Amino acid sequence: MKFLLEVNVDDGRMAEDPVGELGRILRYWGGNLRHYAMKPGDGSAIYDSDYQEVGQWRLVAAGEDA
């Protein structure tokens, strides 16, 4: 199984402070993962601190295309 995290850092708050925003995203989702079964198909949209969608995380089966 693979954990995939994709974040667009080209726009908005992400472009202004990519290190700060990525750190916040990783802390938030690191703590929030306990609410998921952690099986292929699980995932969620990722939002910056302005609540704008900037990406997603998802779990895929081993060998499945990302």
Side-chain angles (χ1 to χ4, degrees):
M1 182 167 54
K2 294 180 197 176
F3 179 90
L4 303 171
L5 173 69
E6 296 178 291
V7 178
N8 180 353
V9 296
D10 293 333
D11 299 318
R13 182 72 69 150
M14 291 299 301
E16 293 170 17
D17 183 16
V19 172
E21 286 294 309
L22 284 172
R24 187 194 63 76
I25 286 168
L26 292 170
R27 285 188 304 276
Y28 177 83
W29 281 105
N32 199 45
L33 289 174
R34 68 180 179 275
H35 299 291
Y36 292 86
M38 299 303 289
K39 62 182 186 330
D42 284 349
S44 183
I46 298 289
Y47 298 91
D48 67 12
S49 57
D50 287 334
Y51 302 104
Q52 300 299 309
E53 187 171 332
V54 293
Q56 67 177 340
W57 72 266
R58 65 190 184 282
L59 287 167
V60 298
E64 186 178 325
D65 287 338

